[in-house]
Amino acid sequence: MKPDWTAPATRLADAEWVRARIGGAAKLYGCARPEVLGTIWWYSLSSVLVAPAIDGLVAGAPADPSLDAVELDLLADGRFLGARSTRPLDGGLPELGAALATALGTAITTIATVSGARERALGAIATDSIGNRLLWTPDPERAMALAEPLVAAIGLGLPKPRFVRVGRNPAVRRASCCLIYEAGNPKCASCPRQTPAERGARLRAALG
């Protein structure tokens, strides 16, 4: 699928641009309070935003996640299709963590300011997005070992990443809730706002 348009990730520091994108999210996810839409929008965006850094780290060729190095591909309806970094990162895990801290911190601050979403909740979503992206790499077992040192290198008060086993399959044990259910949609299978038994049953059904 080809993107309909591309935006520089530096737009995530532009309050008016972010406010317009979050406002448009109501067409995708349903009408809800601004802080709910901001949280849902960040849940979708954060997974895309961290992808180039995660993929590069696991491949042994770190990509610069700085906002001025990243381009975001979008569809006409406002969904994020992907992201790419336009330059390599000079350094290793400490430098990657520092660059991610600046990029994520900027985006989280902007979203919190324009929507009223809590920065701590948005930070937890970032941790879970990092964990999920690590699981999507070709070697998830090795990638999971990178999760805690990477999140520690980022700082920002992010919670530690957590994983569980569902049969043979690893899954993120979520620290965050995207609040999609507050916009009239079903809860995610891994949503922490359900009983452990219900969450376990839904994850087993999804992952086998």
Side-chain angles (χ1 to χ4, degrees), residues 19-39:
R19 182 178 287 109
R21 303 285 79 73
I22 291 174
K27 297 179 182 179
L28 288 170
Y29 307 112
C31 294
R33 303 187 314 276
E35 60 267 30
V36 171
L37 289 175
T39 302

Side-chain angles (χ1 to χ4, degrees), residues 35 38 79 182 192 195:
E35 60 267 30
R79 287 178 294 165
E182 291 202 21
T195 67

Side-chain angles (χ1 to χ4, degrees), residues 103-148:
L104 293 173
T106 297
I108 286 171
T109 297
T110 305
I111 294 166
T113 299
V114 305
S115 73
R118 296 187 300 113
E119 290 192 19
R120 187 176 181 86
L122 300 178
I125 287 174
T127 287
D128 290 343
S129 289
I130 289 169
N132 275 318
R133 280 290 175 175
L134 286 167
L135 292 182
W136 296 350
T137 61
D139 187 354
E141 297 295 334
R142 185 176 77 83
M144 281 192 294
L146 297 171
E148 189 166 335

Side-chain angles (χ1 to χ4, degrees), residues 15-157:
E16 291 307 311
W17 189 85
V18 170
R19 182 178 287 109
R21 303 285 79 73
I22 291 174
K27 297 179 182 179
L28 288 170
Y29 307 112
C31 294
R33 303 187 314 276
E35 60 267 30
V36 171
L37 289 175
T39 302
I40 297 170
W41 189 75
W42 174 238
Y43 181 80
S44 173
L45 165 61
S46 61
S47 178
V48 169
L49 185 61
V50 301
I54 298 300
D55 293 345
L57 175 65
V58 174
D64 192 342
S66 302
L67 295 184
D68 64 353
V70 173
E71 296 177 340
L72 301 169
D73 291 331
L74 297 95
L75 297 175
D77 61 8
R79 287 178 294 165
F80 293 97
L81 187 60
R84 60 189 171 276
S85 175
T86 60
R87 64 179 182 239
L89 179 74
D90 185 14
L93 189 64
E95 290 77 17
L96 181 62
L100 276 170
T102 300
L104 293 173
T106 297
I108 286 171
T109 297
T110 305
I111 294 166
T113 299
V114 305
S115 73
R118 296 187 300 113
E119 290 192 19
R120 187 176 181 86
L122 300 178
I125 287 174
T127 287
D128 290 343
S129 289
I130 289 169
N132 275 318
R133 280 290 175 175
L134 286 167
L135 292 182
W136 296 350
T137 61
D139 187 354
E141 297 295 334
R142 185 176 77 83
M144 281 192 294
L146 297 171
E148 189 166 335
L150 175 57
V151 170
I154 295 170
L156 296 179

